[in-house]
Amino acid sequence: MTDAEDRKPQSDEARSAFKPPSTSSVTQVIPVPKTAAATQTGPAVDNESSTTSEFALPEGLAAPKAGSESETTSEFALPNGLGVPEPPVAEPEGSAFTPPSTYTARQAPAAFTPPNGTPAVSLTKDIPWQDRMRTMLRMPATERPAPEHVQKAEEGGPAVPRVLDLTLRIGELLLAGGEGAEDVETAMFAVCRSYGLDRCEPNVTFTLLSVSYQPSLVDDPVSATRVVRRRGTDYTRLAAVYRLVDDLSDPETHVSLEEAYRRLAEIRRNRHPYPGWALTGAAGLLAGAASLLVGGGLLVFAAAAVGAMLGDRLAWLCAGRGLPEFYQFTVAAMPPAAIGVALTVADVDVKASAVITGGLFALLPGRALVAGVQDGLTGFYITASARLLEVMYFFVGIVTGVLLVLYFGVKLGAQLNPDAALIGSERPVLQIVASMLLSLTFAVLLQQERSTVLWVTLNGGVAWVVYGAMHLVGDISPVASTAVAAGLVGLFGQLMSRYRFVSALPYTTAAIGPLLPGSATYFGLLAIAQNNVDKGLVSLAKAVSLAMAIAIGVNLGSEISRLFLRIGSAGKRRAAKRTRGF
């Protein structure tokens, strides 16, 4: 073989190596002349030809087979020799990456979050709207179930500003009537949702209501606010507002926006169910019944009633002159204390302390105290602080009025005996009747509907029976006895509100009247007036403890009805999850 023939394959092979590769595949076999084919087909090598190009495959390495179709070269393709991964085998129990054996999608443990999100909350239509709306209000906005369809919406969608205005007006009536902040937010959310505004966020403070609505993440939010400047006690109006919200929340009831405005205007225009003279008479009967509870007789009953009615008229006169409520309470507390001191100075054989204690029962702000403690227990701390501060001012006003009268009475030589009004257990029937009369008159002062007066009267009698059985007969601590009795009051009130789809306040506020700490308050003030400050502060601390026991007991009874009895319950309510110290 000549030198030219020996160099020819090398030159041809080199020329073929610098040709651009085929676009079909990077693994395509490089074409070579026939004389060099033996070097690329297997271990058999032709002795007549040898490969010296650096691009030729080494001896002993088989060339990859060229596929008939183009092969992918993406970086996301699986490499040759790597198969499709199979589903992983279930790991043994106890692994950190496996769910517990008891886990199900519908009943997930509280401490385990499923990978696909939290399970949906099922809310049936048969439960009260308070529970349904309270449950959804505590959810994040993205997890709330959307309304099925809007029946009250006008053509083209609801008028968002008008719906927000209606919501704020309804919330104003509820908050001004003494309703708790959580229940006010629930009612406002129910109104917005009934008109299709499901992505709304109501907010309630002591004097300011606000609500915002954002249709979607790309739309601008719409917000509205309203200031609550005047407060009035009218539980009849409160019940009417609850009925309106109940009708709006009912999917089977068609209430247009104009009809809702018309009904709300009628509620505002309605007169109070009881005239002014009836309220004054109820205040006198309340004070007289309270004096019977603490050991008074017929003369004490009459004296306490006259003193309370005079104080009520003086408070109305101060209100007409525009004086703040602090001075109204101060003036209203003076006549009962003055009558009691006058009877003592005149050497009349009556229990003057019972007269003064009866007058205090008609003034103690039990309604505001219960609402303030309830707001604090449900997480509305700003509103709770404002309500409790209001209660403190009212209490200071009462203390100021009584202390002024007692101070001058002691200077005049009035022999006031701190132990003269101790409750005795020898008159249980009279005390039960007096407690029911006290609750009845308290309900009239709160302007309750006549259909609820009988129920709250019975509730007050039961509360006093429980308290008397535990404290007077069983010799249990008065604070514990008061808390248990108030808990039963709250439980009964919550059950009645579930049964009649109304607020629980008309069934609970008047029923706690017999439990108010009128005696402890009077004894503390009398000790301070007699320069026994230490004893007076101890007695006032006892009065505060009894008041807190009433408020906490009422709230606890309401929560027990939701958690354990499940009367119209929407499942477990979502509450704030906090750790200790944070």
Side-chain angles (χ1 to χ4, degrees):
M1 186 178 296
T2 63
D3 295 340
E5 292 175 350
D6 189 32
R7 291 194 299 268
K8 183 178 180 181
Q10 298 178 4
S11 60
D12 294 339
E13 189 175 3
R15 285 194 300 270
S16 63
F18 286 96
K19 292 181 180 180
S22 175
T23 58
S24 60
S25 175
V26 296
T27 60
Q28 186 175 1
V29 179
I30 300 173
V32 297
K34 293 182 179 180
T35 57
T39 63
Q40 302 180 14
T41 56
V45 181
D46 191 358
N47 295 330
E48 296 181 356
S49 63
S50 61
T51 302
T52 60
S53 173
E54 56 192 279
F55 296 99
L57 291 175
E59 297 180 2
L61 182 62
K65 297 180 180 180
S68 59
E69 298 180 359
S70 60
E71 300 178 4
T72 180
T73 60
S74 172
E75 64 268 20
F76 298 101
L78 293 175
N80 293 333
L82 182 62
V84 178
E86 298 180 358
V89 183
E91 297 185 14
E93 179 70 22
S95 173
F97 300 97
T98 56
S101 58
T102 58
Y103 169 77
T104 59
R106 296 183 179 273
Q107 299 178 352
F112 181 80
T113 301
N116 295 329
T118 56
V121 178
S122 177
L123 299 173
T124 61
K125 299 179 181 180
D126 299 331
I127 62 177
W129 62 266
Q130 296 98 320
D131 283 337
R132 286 188 286 118
M133 299 305 161
R134 184 181 289 109
T135 303
M136 286 187 287
L137 189 60
R138 294 194 175 192
M139 293 181 182
T142 56
E143 298 180 11
R144 296 172 185 167
E148 296 180 358
H149 67 281
V150 183
Q151 296 183 354
K152 294 92 174 177
E154 309 293 340
E155 295 183 1
V160 175
R162 298 199 66 196
V163 172
L164 297 184
D165 178 70
L166 176 67
T167 302
L168 291 174
R169 292 177 182 273
I170 290 177
E172 179 190 10
L173 288 179
L174 294 176
L175 187 63
E179 191 64 82
E182 184 184 29
D183 294 326
V184 175
E185 281 195 0
T186 302
M188 293 173 63
F189 182 75
V191 175
C192 288
R193 189 175 175 83
S194 64
Y195 288 100
L197 309 185
D198 56 323
R199 299 178 63 90
C200 65
E201 292 293 341
N203 186 26
V204 176
T205 59
F206 186 59
T207 58
L208 181 65
L209 298 172
S210 63
V211 59
S212 62
Y213 170 69
Q214 187 173 12
S216 65
L217 295 177
V218 298
D219 294 326
D220 295 332
V222 180
S223 300
T225 59
R226 192 173 184 86
V227 178
V228 180
R229 302 189 183 276
R230 297 187 60 185
R231 288 176 174 81
T233 304
D234 190 344
Y235 282 0
T236 299
R237 179 178 297 174
L238 190 69
V241 176
Y242 260 80
R243 282 193 292 269
L244 174 59
V245 178
D246 183 45
D247 291 341
L248 292 175
S249 304
D250 189 1
E252 298 180 358
T253 303
H254 300 268
V255 181
S256 63
L257 199 61
E258 298 298 332
E259 176 67 15
Y261 267 107
R262 185 189 64 79
R263 290 180 56 178
L264 188 62
E266 291 179 355
I267 293 173
R268 286 180 175 274
R269 287 195 301 266
N270 283 344
R271 298 173 61 95
H272 299 302
Y274 307 103
W277 63 266
L279 299 180
T280 302
L285 291 177
L286 190 153
S291 66
L292 294 178
L293 280 180
V294 294
L298 183 60
L299 183 58
V300 172
F301 178 92
V306 172
M309 288 189 289
L310 287 177
D312 181 76
R313 287 293 92 189
L314 287 177
W316 277 92
L317 181 62
C318 293
R321 302 299 180 183
L323 290 177
E325 287 184 299
F326 176 85
Y327 302 105
Q328 297 176 27
F329 275 83
T330 301
V331 172
M334 287 183 175
I339 291 178
V341 171
L343 292 175
T344 303
V345 173
D347 291 332
V348 180
D349 188 14
V350 295
K351 293 182 178 180
S353 54
V355 177
I356 301 174
T357 301
L360 292 178
F361 266 84
L363 299 175
L364 293 177
R367 173 181 57 88
L369 175 66
V370 172
V373 175
Q374 180 181 358
D375 289 342
L377 294 177
T378 53
F380 295 86
Y381 300 112
I382 297 178
T383 307
S385 301
R387 288 185 188 272
L388 294 178
L389 186 62
E390 181 187 39
V391 172
M392 187 192 73
Y393 273 104
F394 291 164
F395 190 76
V396 170
I398 296 171
V399 168
T400 303
V402 176
L403 271 181
L404 287 175
V405 176
L406 291 180
Y407 178 78
F408 287 107
V410 171
K411 292 297 183 181
L412 292 174
Q415 300 296 326
L416 298 173
N417 185 7
D419 299 327
L422 292 177
I423 301 175
S425 59
E426 66 276 2
R427 304 186 304 174
V429 177
L430 180 61
Q431 290 176 350
I432 292 174
V433 173
S435 65
M436 296 177 66
L437 177 61
L438 193 152
S439 299
L440 172 64
T441 53
F442 203 172
V444 174
L445 288 176
L446 294 175
Q447 301 282 0
Q448 292 189 194
E449 291 181 304
R450 292 179 174 84
S451 60
T452 64
V453 171
L454 176 61
W455 294 107
V456 75
T457 302
L458 296 176
N459 198 11
V462 172
W464 179 258
V465 169
V466 173
Y467 171 80
M470 294 183 63
H471 176 55
L472 303 178
V473 180
D475 198 18
I476 302 176
S477 168
V479 177
S481 303
T482 301
V484 173
L488 291 179
V489 169
L491 176 62
F492 177 80
Q494 198 64 233
L495 292 179
M496 288 301 299
S497 68
R498 291 292 191 275
Y499 176 72
R500 304 190 65 176
F501 294 91
V502 294
S503 172
L505 287 181
Y507 300 98
T508 59
T509 305
I512 65 174
L515 305 176
L516 293 175
S519 300
T521 303
Y522 165 71
F523 292 151
L525 298 180
L526 179 60
I528 293 175
Q530 294 175 347
N531 293 327
N532 194 349
V533 180
D534 293 339
K535 184 178 179 180
L537 293 179
V538 171
S539 185
L540 290 179
K542 179 182 176 181
V544 173
S545 301
L546 292 174
M548 294 296 293
I550 292 173
I552 295 176
V554 171
N555 182 263
L556 182 60
S558 301
E559 295 299 327
I560 288 176
S561 68
R562 293 191 184 108
L563 295 179
F564 296 101
L565 298 183
R566 297 187 180 278
I567 303 298
S569 175
K572 295 182 179 180
R573 292 191 307 169
R574 294 190 176 185
K577 297 180 181 178
R578 297 183 179 91
T579 56
R580 284 178 286 181
F582 294 92

PDB file of all heavy atoms in Angstrom, residues 11 18 30 40 44 66 96 113 208 216 224 228 239 257 267-268 397 403 499-501 525 540:
ATOM      1  N   SER A  11      -7.254  11.906   5.684  1.00  0.00           N
ATOM      2  CA  SER A  11      -7.756  13.207   5.239  1.00  0.00           C
ATOM      3  C   SER A  11      -9.259  13.209   5.095  1.00  0.00           C
ATOM      4  O   SER A  11      -9.941  14.159   5.472  1.00  0.00           O
ATOM      5  CB  SER A  11      -7.078  13.598   3.913  1.00  0.00           C
ATOM      6  OG  SER A  11      -7.368  12.610   2.923  1.00  0.00           O
ATOM      7  N   PHE A  18     -14.957  17.602  10.767  1.00  0.00           N
ATOM      8  CA  PHE A  18     -15.225  19.036  10.878  1.00  0.00           C
ATOM      9  C   PHE A  18     -16.534  19.463  10.242  1.00  0.00           C
ATOM     10  O   PHE A  18     -16.833  20.641  10.188  1.00  0.00           O
ATOM     11  CB  PHE A  18     -14.072  19.828  10.247  1.00  0.00           C
ATOM     12  CG  PHE A  18     -12.840  19.829  11.103  1.00  0.00           C
ATOM     13  CD1 PHE A  18     -11.833  18.898  10.860  1.00  0.00           C
ATOM     14  CD2 PHE A  18     -12.715  20.715  12.152  1.00  0.00           C
ATOM     15  CE1 PHE A  18     -10.702  18.900  11.653  1.00  0.00           C
ATOM     16  CE2 PHE A  18     -11.590  20.712  12.935  1.00  0.00           C
ATOM     17  CZ  PHE A  18     -10.579  19.799  12.698  1.00  0.00           C
ATOM     18  N   ILE A  30     -21.071   9.251  13.343  1.00  0.00           N
ATOM     19  CA  ILE A  30     -20.330  10.112  12.415  1.00  0.00           C
ATOM     20  C   ILE A  30     -20.059   9.313  11.151  1.00  0.00           C
ATOM     21  O   ILE A  30     -19.492   8.205  11.192  1.00  0.00           O
ATOM     22  CB  ILE A  30     -19.000  10.561  13.037  1.00  0.00           C
ATOM     23  CG1 ILE A  30     -19.322  11.338  14.337  1.00  0.00           C
ATOM     24  CG2 ILE A  30     -18.198  11.398  12.087  1.00  0.00           C
ATOM     25  CD1 ILE A  30     -18.099  11.684  15.121  1.00  0.00           C
ATOM     26  N   GLN A  40     -15.660   1.453  13.665  1.00  0.00           N
ATOM     27  CA  GLN A  40     -16.791   2.010  14.412  1.00  0.00           C
ATOM     28  C   GLN A  40     -17.917   1.011  14.598  1.00  0.00           C
ATOM     29  O   GLN A  40     -18.992   1.385  14.997  1.00  0.00           O
ATOM     30  CB  GLN A  40     -17.335   3.259  13.692  1.00  0.00           C
ATOM     31  CG  GLN A  40     -16.291   4.340  13.503  1.00  0.00           C
ATOM     32  CD  GLN A  40     -16.852   5.542  12.800  1.00  0.00           C
ATOM     33  OE1 GLN A  40     -18.049   5.668  12.691  1.00  0.00           O
ATOM     34  NE2 GLN A  40     -15.987   6.422  12.318  1.00  0.00           N
ATOM     35  N   ALA A  44     -14.286  -6.083  16.105  1.00  0.00           N
ATOM     36  CA  ALA A  44     -13.536  -6.574  14.938  1.00  0.00           C
ATOM     37  C   ALA A  44     -12.938  -5.414  14.194  1.00  0.00           C
ATOM     38  O   ALA A  44     -13.640  -4.504  13.781  1.00  0.00           O
ATOM     39  CB  ALA A  44     -14.444  -7.385  14.008  1.00  0.00           C
ATOM     40  N   ALA A  66     -28.546   4.883  16.483  1.00  0.00           N
ATOM     41  CA  ALA A  66     -29.298   6.085  16.084  1.00  0.00           C
ATOM     42  C   ALA A  66     -30.781   5.777  16.069  1.00  0.00           C
ATOM     43  O   ALA A  66     -31.210   4.810  15.450  1.00  0.00           O
ATOM     44  CB  ALA A  66     -28.839   6.566  14.716  1.00  0.00           C
ATOM     45  N   ALA A  96     -41.431  11.574  60.780  1.00  0.00           N
ATOM     46  CA  ALA A  96     -41.810  12.989  60.849  1.00  0.00           C
ATOM     47  C   ALA A  96     -42.539  13.447  59.605  1.00  0.00           C
ATOM     48  O   ALA A  96     -43.136  14.517  59.602  1.00  0.00           O
ATOM     49  CB  ALA A  96     -40.560  13.845  61.061  1.00  0.00           C
ATOM     50  N   THR A 113     -51.814  20.198  60.386  1.00  0.00           N
ATOM     51  CA  THR A 113     -52.347  20.940  59.245  1.00  0.00           C
ATOM     52  C   THR A 113     -52.180  20.094  57.994  1.00  0.00           C
ATOM     53  O   THR A 113     -51.060  19.780  57.606  1.00  0.00           O
ATOM     54  CB  THR A 113     -51.596  22.264  59.051  1.00  0.00           C
ATOM     55  OG1 THR A 113     -51.722  23.032  60.251  1.00  0.00           O
ATOM     56  CG2 THR A 113     -52.187  23.044  57.886  1.00  0.00           C
ATOM     57  N   LEU A 208     -66.974  54.066  68.269  1.00  0.00           N
ATOM     58  CA  LEU A 208     -66.771  54.137  66.825  1.00  0.00           C
ATOM     59  C   LEU A 208     -67.066  52.787  66.206  1.00  0.00           C
ATOM     60  O   LEU A 208     -66.614  51.739  66.683  1.00  0.00           O
ATOM     61  CB  LEU A 208     -65.329  54.547  66.505  1.00  0.00           C
ATOM     62  CG  LEU A 208     -64.975  54.686  65.019  1.00  0.00           C
ATOM     63  CD1 LEU A 208     -65.762  55.838  64.399  1.00  0.00           C
ATOM     64  CD2 LEU A 208     -63.483  54.899  64.841  1.00  0.00           C
ATOM     65  N   SER A 216     -62.341  42.196  45.622  1.00  0.00           N
ATOM     66  CA  SER A 216     -61.281  41.257  45.259  1.00  0.00           C
ATOM     67  C   SER A 216     -59.944  41.910  45.570  1.00  0.00           C
ATOM     68  O   SER A 216     -59.875  43.073  45.999  1.00  0.00           O
ATOM     69  CB  SER A 216     -61.374  40.872  43.778  1.00  0.00           C
ATOM     70  OG  SER A 216     -61.145  42.010  42.959  1.00  0.00           O
ATOM     71  N   ALA A 224     -66.446  52.646  55.601  1.00  0.00           N
ATOM     72  CA  ALA A 224     -67.399  53.613  56.161  1.00  0.00           C
ATOM     73  C   ALA A 224     -67.324  53.527  57.673  1.00  0.00           C
ATOM     74  O   ALA A 224     -67.065  52.456  58.236  1.00  0.00           O
ATOM     75  CB  ALA A 224     -68.822  53.334  55.671  1.00  0.00           C
ATOM     76  N   VAL A 228     -70.873  56.631  67.653  1.00  0.00           N
ATOM     77  CA  VAL A 228     -71.991  56.428  68.587  1.00  0.00           C
ATOM     78  C   VAL A 228     -71.863  57.469  69.684  1.00  0.00           C
ATOM     79  O   VAL A 228     -70.969  57.403  70.529  1.00  0.00           O
ATOM     80  CB  VAL A 228     -71.961  55.008  69.174  1.00  0.00           C
ATOM     81  CG1 VAL A 228     -73.136  54.804  70.135  1.00  0.00           C
ATOM     82  CG2 VAL A 228     -71.999  53.967  68.064  1.00  0.00           C
ATOM     83  N   ALA A 239     -84.555  44.196  70.733  1.00  0.00           N
ATOM     84  CA  ALA A 239     -85.174  42.980  70.208  1.00  0.00           C
ATOM     85  C   ALA A 239     -85.692  43.187  68.788  1.00  0.00           C
ATOM     86  O   ALA A 239     -85.613  42.282  67.942  1.00  0.00           O
ATOM     87  CB  ALA A 239     -86.306  42.541  71.133  1.00  0.00           C
ATOM     88  N   LEU A 257     -83.408  46.283  50.116  1.00  0.00           N
ATOM     89  CA  LEU A 257     -82.669  47.315  50.834  1.00  0.00           C
ATOM     90  C   LEU A 257     -83.596  48.438  51.279  1.00  0.00           C
ATOM     91  O   LEU A 257     -83.465  48.960  52.399  1.00  0.00           O
ATOM     92  CB  LEU A 257     -81.549  47.850  49.944  1.00  0.00           C
ATOM     93  CG  LEU A 257     -80.405  48.584  50.636  1.00  0.00           C
ATOM     94  CD1 LEU A 257     -79.695  47.673  51.612  1.00  0.00           C
ATOM     95  CD2 LEU A 257     -79.414  49.125  49.614  1.00  0.00           C
ATOM     96  N   ILE A 267     -88.248  51.363  63.686  1.00  0.00           N
ATOM     97  CA  ILE A 267     -87.677  51.001  64.987  1.00  0.00           C
ATOM     98  C   ILE A 267     -87.178  52.242  65.720  1.00  0.00           C
ATOM     99  O   ILE A 267     -87.366  52.391  66.933  1.00  0.00           O
ATOM    100  CB  ILE A 267     -86.537  49.977  64.790  1.00  0.00           C
ATOM    101  CG1 ILE A 267     -87.098  48.648  64.265  1.00  0.00           C
ATOM    102  CG2 ILE A 267     -85.767  49.752  66.084  1.00  0.00           C
ATOM    103  CD1 ILE A 267     -86.031  47.641  63.884  1.00  0.00           C
ATOM    104  N   ARG A 268     -86.565  53.161  64.989  1.00  0.00           N
ATOM    105  CA  ARG A 268     -86.077  54.386  65.622  1.00  0.00           C
ATOM    106  C   ARG A 268     -87.218  55.277  66.108  1.00  0.00           C
ATOM    107  O   ARG A 268     -87.098  55.951  67.141  1.00  0.00           O
ATOM    108  CB  ARG A 268     -85.215  55.170  64.631  1.00  0.00           C
ATOM    109  CG  ARG A 268     -83.835  54.558  64.406  1.00  0.00           C
ATOM    110  CD  ARG A 268     -83.054  55.410  63.419  1.00  0.00           C
ATOM    111  NE  ARG A 268     -81.693  54.940  63.257  1.00  0.00           N
ATOM    112  CZ  ARG A 268     -80.675  55.287  64.032  1.00  0.00           C
ATOM    113  NH1 ARG A 268     -80.874  56.123  65.043  1.00  0.00           N
ATOM    114  NH2 ARG A 268     -79.469  54.823  63.819  1.00  0.00           N
ATOM    115  N   GLY A 397     -69.347  58.148  91.333  1.00  0.00           N
ATOM    116  CA  GLY A 397     -70.433  59.099  91.531  1.00  0.00           C
ATOM    117  C   GLY A 397     -71.373  58.660  92.634  1.00  0.00           C
ATOM    118  O   GLY A 397     -71.792  59.480  93.487  1.00  0.00           O
ATOM    119  N   LEU A 403     -71.383  59.143 100.420  1.00  0.00           N
ATOM    120  CA  LEU A 403     -70.405  59.558 101.424  1.00  0.00           C
ATOM    121  C   LEU A 403     -70.700  60.958 101.946  1.00  0.00           C
ATOM    122  O   LEU A 403     -70.522  61.250 103.142  1.00  0.00           O
ATOM    123  CB  LEU A 403     -68.993  59.503 100.835  1.00  0.00           C
ATOM    124  CG  LEU A 403     -68.246  58.173 100.979  1.00  0.00           C
ATOM    125  CD1 LEU A 403     -66.861  58.278 100.371  1.00  0.00           C
ATOM    126  CD2 LEU A 403     -68.155  57.753 102.436  1.00  0.00           C
ATOM    127  N   TYR A 499     -83.706  29.909  71.607  1.00  0.00           N
ATOM    128  CA  TYR A 499     -85.066  29.442  71.322  1.00  0.00           C
ATOM    129  C   TYR A 499     -85.868  30.495  70.560  1.00  0.00           C
ATOM    130  O   TYR A 499     -86.632  30.170  69.645  1.00  0.00           O
ATOM    131  CB  TYR A 499     -85.759  29.083  72.632  1.00  0.00           C
ATOM    132  CG  TYR A 499     -87.207  28.674  72.472  1.00  0.00           C
ATOM    133  CD1 TYR A 499     -87.541  27.453  71.900  1.00  0.00           C
ATOM    134  CD2 TYR A 499     -88.239  29.510  72.903  1.00  0.00           C
ATOM    135  CE1 TYR A 499     -88.870  27.082  71.756  1.00  0.00           C
ATOM    136  CE2 TYR A 499     -89.555  29.146  72.765  1.00  0.00           C
ATOM    137  CZ  TYR A 499     -89.866  27.929  72.186  1.00  0.00           C
ATOM    138  OH  TYR A 499     -91.177  27.563  72.038  1.00  0.00           O
ATOM    139  N   ARG A 500     -85.658  31.768  70.896  1.00  0.00           N
ATOM    140  CA  ARG A 500     -86.450  32.833  70.298  1.00  0.00           C
ATOM    141  C   ARG A 500     -85.663  33.664  69.289  1.00  0.00           C
ATOM    142  O   ARG A 500     -86.185  34.646  68.768  1.00  0.00           O
ATOM    143  CB  ARG A 500     -86.996  33.746  71.393  1.00  0.00           C
ATOM    144  CG  ARG A 500     -87.822  32.996  72.447  1.00  0.00           C
ATOM    145  CD  ARG A 500     -88.540  33.931  73.359  1.00  0.00           C
ATOM    146  NE  ARG A 500     -89.550  34.719  72.646  1.00  0.00           N
ATOM    147  CZ  ARG A 500     -90.386  35.571  73.233  1.00  0.00           C
ATOM    148  NH1 ARG A 500     -90.317  35.755  74.544  1.00  0.00           N
ATOM    149  NH2 ARG A 500     -91.255  36.257  72.523  1.00  0.00           N
ATOM    150  N   PHE A 501     -84.399  33.300  69.028  1.00  0.00           N
ATOM    151  CA  PHE A 501     -83.567  33.976  68.025  1.00  0.00           C
ATOM    152  C   PHE A 501     -83.451  35.472  68.307  1.00  0.00           C
ATOM    153  O   PHE A 501     -83.594  36.305  67.418  1.00  0.00           O
ATOM    154  CB  PHE A 501     -84.117  33.749  66.615  1.00  0.00           C
ATOM    155  CG  PHE A 501     -84.042  32.319  66.163  1.00  0.00           C
ATOM    156  CD1 PHE A 501     -85.091  31.450  66.384  1.00  0.00           C
ATOM    157  CD2 PHE A 501     -82.914  31.841  65.524  1.00  0.00           C
ATOM    158  CE1 PHE A 501     -85.024  30.135  65.980  1.00  0.00           C
ATOM    159  CE2 PHE A 501     -82.838  30.522  65.117  1.00  0.00           C
ATOM    160  CZ  PHE A 501     -83.891  29.664  65.342  1.00  0.00           C
ATOM    161  N   LEU A 525     -68.737  52.080 102.418  1.00  0.00           N
ATOM    162  CA  LEU A 525     -68.865  53.534 102.494  1.00  0.00           C
ATOM    163  C   LEU A 525     -69.103  54.000 103.925  1.00  0.00           C
ATOM    164  O   LEU A 525     -68.582  55.037 104.355  1.00  0.00           O
ATOM    165  CB  LEU A 525     -70.009  53.991 101.587  1.00  0.00           C
ATOM    166  CG  LEU A 525     -69.847  53.687 100.084  1.00  0.00           C
ATOM    167  CD1 LEU A 525     -71.065  54.192  99.324  1.00  0.00           C
ATOM    168  CD2 LEU A 525     -68.586  54.317  99.542  1.00  0.00           C
ATOM    169  N   LEU A 540     -65.301  47.289 100.272  1.00  0.00           N
ATOM    170  CA  LEU A 540     -65.423  47.689  98.868  1.00  0.00           C
ATOM    171  C   LEU A 540     -64.744  46.680  97.951  1.00  0.00           C
ATOM    172  O   LEU A 540     -65.229  46.422  96.833  1.00  0.00           O
ATOM    173  CB  LEU A 540     -64.817  49.080  98.675  1.00  0.00           C
ATOM    174  CG  LEU A 540     -65.593  50.245  99.297  1.00  0.00           C
ATOM    175  CD1 LEU A 540     -64.865  51.562  99.041  1.00  0.00           C
ATOM    176  CD2 LEU A 540     -67.014  50.308  98.746  1.00  0.00           C
TER     177      LEU A 540
END
